[in-house]
Amino acid sequence: MDKSAADAFVWAKACGKLSKSFYGKNSEKLFAVHSLSELYGLLFSGDVPALPETLLAKEIEEKAETAFLSDYIDFLNCYDKPALLPVTLLELYDYNNLKTFAGALCMHESERPSFLDLGKYALLSYDKWPEIDKITENSELSWYNEVPEIAGQQVLDSKMDFQYLAKLWKSACACELSVREQTKALIAREIRFSNILWVLRLKVYYKMNSEEILPRLFFEDSSKGKEDFLAGDAVKILTKDTSKIDDWKNWKYKEYINPCVNAEEWELDPRWVEKCFQNSLENEYISLFHRNSLSSLALVCYFKIKQNELSNIRSITEGLRLGGE
């Protein structure tokens, strides 16, 4: 199928899938359920499995994610050569799978962990378990060829995160000219938000100082500091006090901070900011999806919309499971 025909076919199919999805205002239906059984019935056809709450929650999450991946891979397969960015988005699963595998090997587990298989798009050789050097061989992650000590795993996970973000940004910069600027703006905004949230979490939850946080941010060019295209907004808030509302009154994203009732008791809530960022991005995904029907950007936005839906499903299953204990 040539690209223009594939773009039209994929967009029409994606529209059909999204019409049955729970995003935007339709996500309210997800948050209105009162039990895992009710959630299962909302998401899937057929009888609800007779499983304990913990296993039913896991079944819902895995079934929803597997269905999404199957649909998304089918979309990619419509192209003789899929665009780089939609494939790069999918490869995040491989990066996360490797983290899981390395963690299991750190703990000397003999059974291979469950993982999400990307088929022909997989970067890793999962059948080579438990030889991590064989799993990553001939891939962009081939440098990860030894089982790390538990204390060193976080360092390697961070290295993988930076490598993935660099690839994501490079892929966005290489997309087709017709949507390149829109795509770069979208991915840049995501990375900026990710950097900002990383700063807020480390300051609020771990009480880290600026010197400790700075190496954990992803820069386009670290020599630019506050002027960096991707990390600049995060660098600018390193010295702000998360317990003083006045420090945030002139912040670029001040509308995203949690309300202040009592200034003496107020503390910035990273979860509140994250939710506001997610809502803002989702609105952008929806708008861009409908405005760019015949381009790779439509598939990128479809991926992002469905990822938000899956994140909501995980939050709801966790809440319902804990509520039932």
Side-chain angles (χ1 to χ4, degrees):
M1 193 182 300
D2 65 54
K3 184 182 182 305
S4 59
D7 281 337
F9 177 79
V10 166
W11 191 75
K13 294 289 287 185
C15 283
K17 295 292 182 183
L18 289 179
S19 70
K20 302 173 184 176
S21 298
F22 300 93
Y23 69 96
K25 286 195 67 65
N26 208 32
S27 64
E28 294 173 4
K29 295 179 182 178
L30 285 176
F31 291 96
V33 300
H34 297 94
S35 68
L36 287 169
S37 296
E38 186 181 352
L39 179 61
Y40 187 98
L42 180 65
L43 295 173
F44 313 115
S45 59
D47 296 333
V48 179
L51 295 170
E53 292 281 280
T54 300
L55 294 181
L56 181 56
K58 184 178 179 183
E59 172 71 10
I60 291 171
E61 292 173 14
E62 292 181 349
K63 191 177 179 72
E65 193 138 42
T66 299
F68 158 70
L69 280 176
S70 177
D71 289 338
Y72 190 76
I73 289 171
D74 284 346
F75 290 160
L76 292 179
N77 288 339
C78 290
Y79 297 89
D80 294 332
K81 186 178 180 181
L84 182 59
L85 182 56
V87 175
T88 300
L89 291 174
L90 184 65
E91 290 170 349
L92 178 60
Y93 282 95
D94 273 327
Y95 278 72
N96 288 335
N97 286 340
L98 182 55
K99 291 179 183 179
T100 300
F101 276 35
L105 290 168
C106 270
M107 302 303 295
H108 307 291
E109 295 178 11
S110 58
E111 184 176 347
R112 185 178 69 180
S114 61
F115 66 97
L116 293 158
D117 190 357
L118 307 185
K120 69 179 184 181
Y121 299 101
L123 297 171
L124 307 175
S125 301
Y126 295 106
D127 59 332
K128 301 297 175 58
W129 169 271
E131 299 175 86
I132 197 165
D133 58 328
K134 299 296 183 184
I135 292 171
T136 62
E137 191 175 28
N138 299 320
S139 77
E140 62 199 48
L141 291 164
S142 60
W143 56 266
Y144 205 133
N145 54 16
E146 294 182 358
V147 178
E149 297 294 328
I150 293 176
Q153 190 185 357
Q154 187 176 6
V155 174
L156 296 181
D157 283 355
S158 294
K159 183 178 178 179
M160 277 201 289
D161 290 341
F162 276 33
Q163 180 173 319
Y164 179 76
L165 286 172
K167 184 176 184 180
L168 183 68
W169 180 235
K170 185 177 180 180
S171 299
C173 293
C175 70
E176 66 260 44
L177 283 172
S178 61
V179 292
R180 184 171 298 172
E181 291 309 311
Q182 292 181 83
T183 304
K184 286 174 63 178
L186 177 65
I187 300 302
R189 195 167 183 225
E190 283 204 1
I191 295 174
R192 288 189 197 111
F193 285 174
S194 178
N195 274 326
I196 289 168
L197 288 170
W198 197 227
V199 170
L200 297 181
R201 293 189 193 105
L202 294 177
K203 285 173 71 72
V204 173
Y205 302 140
Y206 299 97
K207 309 303 179 186
M208 287 189 180
N209 60 38
S210 300
E211 290 71 26
E212 292 172 305
I213 297 172
L214 198 60
R216 301 168 190 265
L217 301 180
F218 179 76
F219 288 81
E220 183 182 40
D221 181 351
S222 59
S223 68
K224 294 184 177 180
K226 291 182 180 181
E227 303 306 315
D228 184 72
F229 186 58
L230 300 176
D233 286 346
V235 175
K236 290 171 185 174
I237 63 171
L238 284 172
T239 58
K240 288 186 179 293
D241 191 330
T242 56
S243 64
K244 293 182 178 179
I245 186 68
D246 287 344
D247 267 21
W248 301 87
K249 285 185 176 178
N250 296 316
W251 186 39
K252 182 177 181 178
Y253 303 104
K254 61 185 178 182
E255 71 271 23
Y256 295 151
I257 64 174
N258 47 300
C260 176
V261 177
N262 184 330
E264 292 183 0
E265 297 179 358
W266 181 86
E267 182 170 42
L268 190 144
D269 184 353
R271 294 168 301 177
W272 182 287
V273 177
E274 181 178 17
K275 186 63 178 176
C276 291
F277 280 171
Q278 286 175 342
N279 291 340
S280 173
L281 285 169
E282 184 172 70
N283 290 334
E284 193 168 355
Y285 302 146
I286 295 167
S287 175
L288 289 171
F289 174 81
H290 289 290
R291 286 174 15 222
N292 297 275
S293 56
L294 302 180
S295 72
S296 63
L297 183 52
L299 191 51
V300 168
C301 291
Y302 173 83
F303 182 96
K304 295 293 186 177
I305 291 167
K306 293 297 290 185
Q307 288 294 294
N308 273 2
E309 180 189 49
L310 291 170
S311 177
N312 286 336
I313 289 171
R314 285 190 290 270
S315 295
I316 293 163
T317 57
E318 180 71 6
L320 291 172
R321 182 182 65 79
L322 292 175
E325 290 181 354

